Amino acid sequence: MLRTNRVDDAIRSGRTAVNAWVTMESTYIAEILSYAGFDSVTIDAQHGMFGRDAIMAMLQAVSAGQASPFVRSPSQDPREIGWLLDAGAYGVIVPDVATPEQAATVAAACFYPPRGTRSLGPTRGTLYAGPSYFQEADEVIQVWPQIESKEGYDNMDAIMSTPGLYGVFVGPNDLALSVGLTAGGTMPQQIVDMVHTILARSHEHGLKMAIYCADAEEARYWAEEGADMVNPSSDSGLLLTAGRAQVAHILGDRAPDLTGMPRAY
């Protein structure tokens, strides 16, 4: 019997799943976050500052803790997706899926024939998940195409009709840029409204909805609104926010003015 997917365990229990996001090349950070109470830890292979060798090691680090290992793939390439799954990922978040054809390709890449097109070679999957991985992997792997463009938003119903998807993952910053708005900071009301629509439609299609959030407050808001999984910033964002809060607390009104300083995504 395979290890269960903790994101699915959380959602089935009636609560919102919480995902962590790793962009820095550090197995230690990945392991720490896996013990911090998150249901999953996502290794960001799209924007993360590392390559394939580091991805493998960080997935191993996540697996040492309590969270399920997830990845954001660098592309929609089925070969890349297959490799990430072979390396032990239990969930795949795929960037900028804007058409139903793209969604179908992504979903097929995550499942073995006859359901999909994934090549047999689970490599580390059997070590992490269990000896019955090949027979049961399709039941635990989660496919999360990202809706993060105006085109993807306009095609959401067709995308959500794709067999095999577990849910859709909203990227609000890229979605904002695609409609001519500023990304980062407070989420524009137009994007809030669009995310509410995506949330409602995903549930109508029997799918889950996840969203990348700027911080814990935004994540709590979307959890209360019914999002199935939320992601409060990234490892760099958590570190920067916590560090600045520590300095401000210690120094009070003598703390340095950080107005205009860069923020982490």
Side-chain angles (χ1 to χ4, degrees), residues 51-67:
R52 257 197 180 195
D53 291 345
I55 292 169
M56 176 72 166
M58 286 193 284
L59 285 171
Q60 290 173 312
V62 175
S63 301
Q66 299 173 329

Side-chain angles (χ1 to χ4, degrees), residues 62-122:
V62 175
S63 301
Q66 299 173 329
S68 287
F70 276 38
V71 291
R72 174 160 69 171
S73 63
S75 70
Q76 299 173 12
D77 185 340
R79 293 166 295 185
E80 287 292 332
I81 293 172
W83 183 86
L84 292 167
L85 291 170
D86 289 347
Y90 252 37
V92 182
I93 300 165
V94 184
D96 196 22
V97 175
T99 69
E101 291 78 16
Q102 291 173 343
T105 297
V106 164
C110 294
F111 302 114
Y112 292 118
R115 187 177 180 185
T117 60
R118 182 182 174 188
S119 177
L120 179 60

Side-chain angles (χ1 to χ4, degrees), residues 21-24 29 212 233-242 264-265:
W21 201 267
V22 178
T23 63
M24 295 188 288
I29 288 175
Y212 189 94
S233 189
S234 65
D235 51 353
S236 57
L238 293 172
L239 185 61
L240 187 60
T241 300
Y265 288 88

Side-chain angles (χ1 to χ4, degrees), residues 170 175 187 191-199 209 211 222:
V170 180
L175 184 58
M187 191 181 296
I191 301 304
V192 173
D193 294 341
M194 293 172 79
V195 175
H196 274 294
T197 300
I198 296 170
L199 175 59
M209 193 280 273
I211 183 169
W222 285 111

Side-chain angles (χ1 to χ4, degrees), residues 211-228:
I211 183 169
Y212 189 94
C213 302
D215 51 34
E217 284 302 312
E218 190 171 88
R220 181 167 182 168
Y221 170 81
W222 285 111
E224 292 173 347
E225 291 299 298
D228 301 286

